[in-house]
Amino acid sequence: MVSQDFDLFVALAEIAGVFVGFGALISFARGDQVDETDLGRLRFVVTIGLVVIVAALVPVGLGRYGVAGRALWGWSSGIFLTIIWLAILSSIRDPESRRFFLSQARENPGASIFLSVFLEVPIQVPLFFAALGILPSLGAAFYTTALILNLCEAAMVLALLVFSRSAGTGGQGGRPAT
């Protein structure tokens, strides 16, 4: 891994940390005014932010142990996919999160489908390619693409949260289950 990758991934982890911090700040600022939909969005922003923080630091850590090239991107991608699926499965198992995702899918199915197809699929497919060694010369690009799209996903959910309140819509708006 080159120094540029190291710097980029650390910067992405820092940006994701900002999303986690904003999510926590919003929850404290709103106090008792947080409805179930806003709470679901807050949890989702924090979860995605934490996934990005860990995933951004995985190749940095593995690189420090001398893992490089295809092995670095294969292992990092496999770990990233595992983290994503652990987050998805833990959300599915949590009754409050499950209710949130189902209500969002019912309220705005078009947005849910659109965001799932145009964010979650493009996040996971490049990771599968890198993990399986498909087009190994693009391993770093695949990983970077997945990180950036995951960060965009967090930004979109945070924007939905912020703008749902400022527009006076309360719990309206769509966010798919991922």
Side-chain angles (χ1 to χ4, degrees), residues 18-119:
V18 170
F19 285 126
V20 172
F22 276 139
L25 181 62
I26 290 168
S27 69
F28 285 115
R30 290 191 179 166
D32 293 338
Q33 299 174 4
V34 178
D35 66 17
E36 190 172 305
T37 300
D38 286 348
L39 184 58
R41 288 184 182 132
L42 281 168
R43 285 179 167 187
F44 200 47
V45 168
V46 170
T47 299
I48 296 168
L50 292 173
V51 166
V52 172
I53 290 170
V54 174
L57 296 176
V58 165
V60 174
L62 290 176
R64 291 292 187 189
Y65 283 97
V67 180
R70 188 213 157 328
L72 175 65
W73 302 116
W75 279 101
S76 296
S77 296
I79 293 168
F80 194 172
L81 280 168
T82 301
I83 294 167
I84 288 171
W85 279 98
L86 286 172
I88 290 170
L89 293 174
S90 68
S91 292
I92 291 171
R93 292 194 61 185
D94 178 60
E96 288 180 30
S97 295
R98 189 171 50 246
R99 274 194 307 275
F100 165 71
F101 290 127
L102 290 173
S103 73
Q104 292 302 289
R106 277 191 297 272
E107 288 177 21
N108 200 339
S112 294
I113 292 168
F114 177 83
L115 291 172
S116 292
V117 170
F118 290 102
L119 275 178

Side-chain angles (χ1 to χ4, degrees), residues 70-86 88 119-136 138-147 149-150:
R70 188 213 157 328
L72 175 65
W73 302 116
W75 279 101
S76 296
S77 296
I79 293 168
F80 194 172
L81 280 168
T82 301
I83 294 167
I84 288 171
W85 279 98
L86 286 172
I88 290 170
L119 275 178
E120 203 56 46
V121 170
I123 288 168
Q124 292 189 32
V125 168
L127 291 174
F128 276 112
F129 283 0
L132 297 175
I134 299 170
L135 300 171
L138 295 177
F142 288 152
Y143 200 85
T144 303
T145 299
L147 273 175
L149 288 175
N150 227 316

